[in-house]
Amino acid sequence: MTDIIKAIENIAVEIYEAIKTKDTGKVDSCNVSGDVQVKLDVISDEIVEKHLLKVKSIKEIISEEKETPITKEEGEYFVAYDPLDGSSLIDVDLSVGSIFGIYKDGYNGKNIKASVYVVYGPRVEMVVARDVVELFRLNENTKTFEFVKELKLKEKGKILGPGGTQAKWFDFHKKMIDELFMEGYRLRYSGGMVPDLHQILLKEGGLFAYPATTDKLKGKLRKLFEVFPFAYTYKKAGGEAVDGFKDLLTLKADGYHDTTPCFFGSRYEIDKVLKTYEKNKEKLKG
Ligand code: AHM
Ligand code: MG
């Protein structure tokens, strides 16, 4: 596992360099989920692949940018990654990130053993979740990551990141979000789940929601590359991660690019989500 984390540190340094120096434009193709790709998606994907394939303990890798995995002869870990999450923000110079889920025996929620994400912001930070959740910061002189502190969520936060097209929200979801704002929560949503979830984690509480919508009952965010890794991080930090009804890490993945509605946060907010969704579960059917 340490060798995988070391490889991710090297990947982060290289992707950050690419973000600073390469073209921010689009390519003519879409990825397997139909998202428009930018050149940096492709470059970042190549950087991750190059480094991870050299790691002995890795058996298989699968990228959000690719249809199928690459399998090796040796190794025990399965790594699912989103090389450049939030890349639609690259041309407006907002923060983006890389996400890695490290699995054993396949890619279901219960099989995730560790998760790592990197935020490319004014500074580069890396959060590693194993038994505990630790924050590291890139020292630009030495190109190494230095330990900053352990991260823990409190029972309740003050900020809210409500994703999904509002015109397509279910009425009960809209009411829940409105009630949270009326309780005093403040809006914090950039459109990049890495910086948005990083903010809630570092501010020690709050709620990020990417719900089912009337046009997309399974939400947008992908289980393997985005949802399971962050669910693991939030749970290890003392928070909760649910699909509205269940712990996200009890879910199976129906295909590599399967999506799910998801909510990450501290206990108070997730409790409200669970109660609201239980009361309204019939409305989500058909
Ligand atoms: P991407 O992997 O194509 O970048 O898409 C994932 C991103 C997340 O970072 C973010 O939370 C979400 O898409 C934003 O979606 P929306 O534009 O619908 O708010
Ligand atoms: Mg993504």
Side-chain angles (χ1 to χ4, degrees), residues 64 82 85 222 226:
E64 185 180 291
D82 184 351
D85 183 73
R222 285 137 288 218
E226 294 160 329

Side-chain angles (χ1 to χ4, degrees), residues 248-274:
L248 285 164
L249 294 183
T250 63
L251 302 183
K252 292 193 170 134
D254 187 12
Y256 299 118
H257 297 270
D258 194 18
T259 62
T260 178
C262 54
F263 302 85
F264 307 88
S266 27
R267 294 225 169 88
Y268 172 83
E269 296 84 1
I270 295 291
D271 196 44
K272 190 170 171 82
V273 170
L274 290 171

Side-chain angles (χ1 to χ4, degrees), residues 204-265:
E204 302 178 328
L207 177 69
F208 175 92
Y210 208 106
T213 46
T214 51
D215 58 337
K216 282 186 189 164
L217 285 175
K218 293 191 79 178
K220 170 184 182 185
L221 297 174
R222 285 137 288 218
K223 288 177 181 167
L224 266 54
F225 318 104
E226 294 160 329
V227 174
F228 291 156
F230 271 111
Y232 188 84
T233 304
Y234 265 59
K235 290 191 69 187
K236 288 289 178 190
E240 305 280 349
V242 300
D243 67 351
F245 304 97
K246 286 191 295 228
D247 179 340
L248 285 164
L249 294 183
T250 63
L251 302 183
K252 292 193 170 134
D254 187 12
Y256 299 118
H257 297 270
D258 194 18
T259 62
T260 178
C262 54
F263 302 85
F264 307 88

Side-chain angles (χ1 to χ4, degrees), residues 191-211:
M193 83 180 294
V194 177
D196 288 342
L197 282 165
H198 191 57
Q199 176 165 196
I200 292 170
L201 195 54
L202 287 172
K203 303 286 185 197
E204 302 178 328
L207 177 69
F208 175 92
Y210 208 106

Side-chain angles (χ1 to χ4, degrees), residues 18-64:
I19 290 170
K20 286 190 290 186
T21 56
K22 304 276 187 201
D23 186 343
T24 58
K26 297 187 174 90
V27 288
D28 294 331
S29 58
C30 285
N31 69 11
V32 280
S33 301
D35 304 321
V36 175
Q37 279 184 311
V38 298
K39 290 177 190 160
L40 276 162
D41 280 320
V42 179
I43 295 170
S44 305
D45 194 29
E46 285 166 4
I47 293 172
V48 180
E49 184 181 320
K50 176 183 79 185
H51 284 275
L52 292 188
L53 286 179
K54 284 191 220 146
V55 179
K56 280 207 168 59
S57 67
I58 295 178
K59 173 85 193 149
E60 188 173 287
I61 61 172
I62 171 87
S63 166
E64 185 180 291

Side-chain angles (χ1 to χ4, degrees), residues 153-178:
L153 285 159
K154 295 199 168 126
E155 282 288 311
K156 185 178 184 313
K158 296 176 182 158
I159 55 176
L160 181 55
T165 309
Q166 297 197 17
K168 308 277 183 193
W169 281 357
F170 283 90
D171 288 346
F172 69 88
H173 178 84
K174 180 171 172 33
K175 187 166 167 277
M176 177 186 79
I177 297 293
D178 286 346

Side-chain angles (χ1 to χ4, degrees), residues 6 16 37 41 109 116 125 143 244 257:
K6 185 70 212 145
Y16 186 48
Q37 279 184 311
D41 280 320
V116 182
E125 297 197 326
K143 305 284 180 219
H257 297 270

